[in-house]
């Protein structure tokens, strides 16, 4: 009997609200098959933990997480703790410590949600953004010298390695190959950045040779924003560096109607470590505790988790239920509805149970 051990780290702001909702939906979906046992273990790490202990998680946090099959993560960030502390204290150490080098961000327009783009609706925008998640502009290399002096200098070094670029290209080509259109767009900035980005392009070319079935093209990141906006239907799978994909995925979320529904998966494709699944939206302190956080992104990333754990039918059932509930207009205020988190969650769980029977 497969037993899946999930570590849940709700962390800050609306994180606990959406993770609680997500767990309800996951429990509803896996209840169908008693063969699959799921257990959730909760960790109270995050900004409150930091205020008590001076760190975002215990020293042996990663060691503890190693024993789990996946991590279900809420959000980090608090108004009274600097962002670089919350981020570098919890989320990035997990991503980098577990070599979750592939960050996968599916984006599509859900039924009932309207895109700000004129004439663009369900089916016209259906992308998977693959973000390099272990190096590039987020390598953490750099420093400050002459602190506080007029000649102060700060460097932020982007690191691109042949190993790092090859593996993310291969992963992106594989995803493209698995989708009906078999199409990949490689985002670059090799016109201005002559070293790392030129190597990025060369490696794309080399890896492309392994995937003759995939049609691929290359776009400069600035021109890519125009194409995403004016020709969304021309894109399918997209691969970009850590920072480029960070920016483009916010644009993607907005074009699909709301960043509030956008999910993300931090994957170790080799399965050496647990992968981590989270909504993109962040901690949203302005609505924390009001009970109106949109749980859809957390459901969607829950579906990514099921898929990753080898349960594609369960993943599809969860997403079908989410789409059905959106179609019915049972949505939170951020996407124009008047339902609260609990009502959306109950509706999704009910739709799952209806499919189960
Ligand atoms: C994201 C977020 C983070 C990032 C922030 C919180 C630093 O924007 O996951 O896209 O840039 O990686
Ligand atoms: Mg971002």
């Amino acid at each position: 009997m497969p037993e899946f051990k999930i570590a849940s780290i709700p962390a800050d702001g609306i994180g606990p609200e959406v993770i609680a909702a997500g767990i309800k939906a996951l429990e509803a979906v896996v209840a169908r098959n008693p063969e699959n046992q799921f257990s959730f273990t909760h960790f109270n790490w995050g900004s409150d933990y930091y205020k008590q202990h001076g760190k975002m998680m215990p020293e042996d946090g990663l060691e503890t997480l190693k024993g789990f099959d996946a991590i279900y993560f809420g959000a980090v960030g608090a108004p009274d703790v600097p962002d670089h502390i919350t981020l570098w204290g919890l989320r990035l150490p997990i991503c980098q410590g577990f070599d979750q080098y592939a960050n996968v961000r599916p984006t599509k327009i859900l039924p009932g949600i309207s895109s700000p783009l004129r004439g663009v609706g369900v089916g016209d925008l259906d992308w998977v953004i693959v973000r390099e998640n272990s190096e590039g502009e987020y390598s953490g290399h750099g420093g400050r010298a002459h602190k506080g002096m007029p000649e102060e200098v700060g460097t932020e070094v982007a690191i691109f390695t042949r190993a790092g670029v090859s593996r993310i290209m291969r992963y992106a080509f594989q995803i493209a190959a698995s989708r009906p259109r078999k199409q990949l767009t490689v985002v670059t900035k090799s016109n201005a950045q002559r070293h790392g980005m030129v190597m990025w392009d060369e490696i794309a070319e080399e890896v492309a040779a392994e995937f003759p079935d995939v049609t691929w093209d290359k776009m400069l990141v600035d021109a890519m924003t125009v194409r995403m906006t004016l020709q969304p239907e021309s894109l399918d799978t997209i691969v970009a560096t850590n920072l480029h994909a960070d920016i483009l995925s916010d644009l993607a979320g907005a074009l699909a109607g709301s960043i509030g529904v956008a999910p993300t998966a931090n994957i170790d494709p080799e399965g050496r470590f647990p992968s981590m699944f989270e909504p993109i939206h962040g901690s949203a302190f302005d609505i924390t505790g009001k009970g109106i956080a949109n749980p859809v992104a957390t459901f969607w990333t829950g579906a990514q988790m099921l898929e990753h754990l080898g349960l594609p039918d369960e993943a599809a059932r969860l997403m079908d239920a989410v789409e059905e509930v959106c179609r019915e207009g049972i949505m939170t205020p951020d996407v124009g509805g008047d339902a609260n988190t609990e009502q959306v969650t109950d509706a999704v769980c009910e739709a799952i149970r209806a499919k189960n029977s």
Side-chain angles (χ1 to χ4, degrees):
M1 175 181 297
E3 204 197 320
F4 300 99
K5 288 169 63 192
I6 313 298
S8 104
I9 311 178
D12 302 345
I14 58 170
E17 298 168 48
V18 292
I19 289 295
I23 289 175
K24 276 194 198 164
L26 286 168
E27 282 178 338
V29 88
V30 298
R32 176 190 161 94
N33 184 355
E35 276 291 291
N36 297 323
Q37 292 294 317
F38 266 73
S39 67
F40 293 89
T41 306
H42 303 284
F43 295 93
N44 65 342
W45 305 341
S47 295
D48 285 341
Y49 187 94
Y50 174 80
K51 285 176 215 158
Q52 286 166 26
H53 301 94
K55 44 188 173 254
M56 294 288 289
M57 66 172 162
E59 293 301 339
D60 61 355
L62 288 189
E63 234 8 78
T64 306
L65 292 176
K66 265 187 196 161
F68 289 85
D69 296 302
I71 303 162
Y72 204 30
F73 193 91
V76 273
D80 48 357
V81 183
D83 282 343
H84 66 274
I85 291 190
T86 51
L87 195 69
W88 283 98
L90 188 57
R91 186 167 162 267
L92 288 179
I94 298 175
C95 289
Q96 298 190 348
F98 287 162
D99 208 12
Q100 295 163 344
Y101 64 82
N103 182 257
V104 181
R105 301 187 159 189
T107 313
K108 66 180 171 187
I109 301 174
L110 294 175
I113 295 184
S114 33
S115 165
L117 297 175
R118 209 177 329 123
V120 173
V122 174
D124 296 328
L125 186 165
D126 185 355
W127 305 330
V128 177
I129 299 181
V130 178
R131 170 179 179 180
E132 201 298 314
N133 211 31
S134 68
E135 54 175 33
E137 308 86 347
Y138 282 57
S139 67
H141 275 243
R144 303 264 292 268
H146 307 301
K147 265 202 175 163
M149 303 294 165
E151 65 274 31
E152 180 166 359
V153 53
T155 60
E156 195 73 52
V157 182
I159 303 278
F160 295 96
T161 63
R162 174 163 281 280
V165 177
S166 304
R167 65 187 187 175
I168 199 65
M169 287 296 170
R170 204 160 277 125
Y171 189 78
F173 271 98
Q174 273 159 9
I175 296 222
S178 74
R179 288 173 50 92
R181 291 171 70 186
K182 301 195 188 311
Q183 185 197 322
L184 178 70
T185 300
V186 176
V187 175
T188 183
K189 191 63 195 172
S190 49
N191 56 345
Q193 298 179 300
R194 296 174 293 162
H195 310 296
M197 286 283 82
V198 172
M199 184 178 84
W200 170 271
D201 291 2
E202 286 169 9
I203 293 173
E205 190 103 37
E206 287 167 25
V207 174
E210 299 168 22
F211 296 87
D213 291 353
V214 176
T215 314
W216 74 286
D217 64 353
K218 216 164 59 181
M219 286 297 293
L220 295 171
V221 64
D222 44 353
M224 184 67 173
T225 61
V226 178
R227 180 162 163 200
M228 285 168 72
T229 310
L230 299 183
Q231 295 172 279
E233 69 297 334
S234 75
L235 295 160
D236 187 76
T237 308
I238 297 160
V239 62
T241 69
N242 216 329
L243 181 62
H244 289 167
D246 173 41
I247 298 165
L248 294 180
S249 59
D250 265 29
L251 175 61
L255 295 178
S258 169
I259 186 141
V261 302
T264 187
N266 301 281
I267 309 255
D268 163 24
E270 273 88 64
R272 299 155 296 173
F273 302 104
S275 292
M276 178 162 71
F277 301 83
E278 57 175 340
I280 291 187
H281 51 60
S283 46
F285 268 82
D286 52 331
I287 57 160
T288 299
K290 294 192 176 157
I292 52 164
N294 192 339
V296 166
T298 308
F299 297 150
W300 195 341
T301 195
Q304 289 185 288
M305 183 164 88
L306 292 170
E307 181 102 44
H308 179 77
L309 295 172
L311 303 171
D313 294 346
E314 282 78 357
R317 193 168 308 121
L318 174 51
M319 277 318 285
D320 285 351
V322 169
E323 295 198 14
E324 199 174 305
V325 166
C326 289
R327 196 175 298 117
E328 284 167 13
I330 306 172
M331 293 186 291
T332 46
D334 57 298
V335 280
D338 56 12
N340 61 28
T341 314
E342 196 181 338
Q343 287 163 331
V344 176
T345 308
D346 288 347
V348 167
C349 291
E350 229 154 81
I352 291 166
R353 287 192 197 105
K355 282 180 208 313
N356 282 356
S357 55

